[in-house]
Every structure is written in C-alpha cells, then in structure tokens.
Amino acid sequence: MARRKHVFISHHHADDAHVSRLTSMLARAGYEIRNSSIRAKPANQRRLERGLVSDNTIKRLLRMKMSWASTVIVIIGKETHSRDWVNWEIRKANELGKRILGVYARGGTEADIPAALNDYGDAIVNWNADSIISAVEGQDNSFKKPDGASREPTFGAATSRC
C-alpha cells in the first residue's frame, strides 16, 4: 500500500512538466502525492494574462489550496527565484505553519532559490525520490546543493509554532 501525503507544489508555470515528473517519480517509489497546487488550463491562463482575475481572488484560492496540504514543495527551476507568486506562496505557507521543502529541478542552481525559501525553508534537497520523501516526512532537514553536497541554511529561524 502506497504511503500518501497531501502537498501543495509551488512552481513557476513554465515548470508544469516538472510537477508531473515529481509526482510520477514519487509514485514509482511507492509514495502517493495528492497535489493541491494550481495548474492553469489554457483558457484560465488567458484570463490571468488579460488581468481578468484579481490578485485577491488568486490569493484566496491559493490560501484554500495550501490549507489542505501538510507540506509545501517548491520546485527550484531556472526562473523560480524571480516569480512573485512563488515567493508569496512560501511566505503564506510559513504563516500557515506548513513544512516548506525546496527541490532542485534538473538544471536548477543555488542562484535559482527564491528569497522566501532561503528565509523560511525547512530543507532543500536534490531531485531524488528517497531525499524528497525523507524531507517531506520531516526526517531530513538538511540543505543541499544541486549536486547533493551540503550547504548551510541562510537563516536560523525555528520551524515550530506555539
């Protein structure tokens, strides 16, 4: 029987394919991810690009989706660090008391880590099923470089809430 976890996968829209690859990789390892993140259909993407959906509506929807999840996984791709919504999602996840985990997509570098992930992340791991599962389960709180070598976290904040 597969282990199951409810997560919200924060990512740049251009990295949608990495979301599918991540969930498939974890499923092959016997770990079922139920992802509540938003992947805009083409019609909705056009509405967003034309400004027909207010930021408050998007924030409300994202907050509801994140509330359901126990962990927020941030896919670190080439443009992730420059995405305002990814940084907003990470800050909101911290406010909601969620575990926040960064995962390097193939080709992702330390320079691609969003500022909010450096401030609030609980772990950053490379693209490896065992590492990701261990970090999602809270067994691995390490900060890694894309090649798997250790790196120091850039903050010292406690992760528990009173």
Side-chain angles (χ1 to χ4, degrees):
M1 180 177 209
R3 294 170 287 165
R4 180 182 296 165
K5 196 74 165 186
H6 295 167
V7 302
F8 179 94
I9 302 177
S10 177
H11 64 286
H12 174 11
H13 175 66
D15 292 332
D16 274 354
H18 290 302
V19 174
S20 298
R21 288 185 196 115
L22 178 76
T23 57
S24 295
M25 176 177 63
L26 296 179
R28 286 191 302 275
Y31 200 75
E32 182 184 353
I33 292 291
R34 299 188 77 195
N35 176 23
S36 63
S37 66
I38 298 170
R39 296 165 79 182
K41 296 175 183 171
N44 289 336
Q45 187 62 39
R46 285 190 296 276
R47 290 183 65 218
L48 291 168
E49 291 168 357
R50 293 192 323 230
L52 299 176
V53 182
S54 74
D55 284 356
N56 285 337
T57 299
I58 295 169
K59 287 177 181 178
R60 181 171 39 89
L61 179 60
L62 290 171
R63 197 171 31 252
M64 288 176 6
K65 298 280 190 175
M66 281 196 285
S67 292
W68 178 80
S70 62
T71 303
V72 172
I73 298 174
V74 180
I75 293 183
I76 304 168
K78 287 185 176 185
E79 302 294 326
T80 307
H81 67 284
S82 66
R83 309 309 298 175
D84 291 339
W85 281 110
V86 170
N87 278 300
W88 183 89
E89 290 166 349
I90 295 166
R91 287 190 299 273
K92 183 53 67 182
N94 181 63
E95 288 175 21
L96 295 171
K98 305 299 180 183
R99 180 167 177 73
I100 304 168
L101 157 66
V103 176
Y104 292 105
R106 297 204 186 275
T109 69
E110 289 183 89
D112 301 321
I113 298 172
L117 184 58
N118 277 323
D119 292 341
Y120 303 114
D122 294 298
I124 298 177
V125 298
N126 57 357
W127 191 270
N128 172 288
D130 291 338
S131 297
I132 296 167
I133 292 168
S134 182
V136 167
E137 292 293 331
Q139 299 163 348
D140 182 355
N141 296 313
S142 63
F143 288 77
K144 302 289 185 182
K145 296 178 180 179
D147 66 1
S150 294
R151 72 184 277 266
E152 292 296 319
T154 58
F155 71 101
T159 56
S160 63
R161 299 184 74 169
C162 297

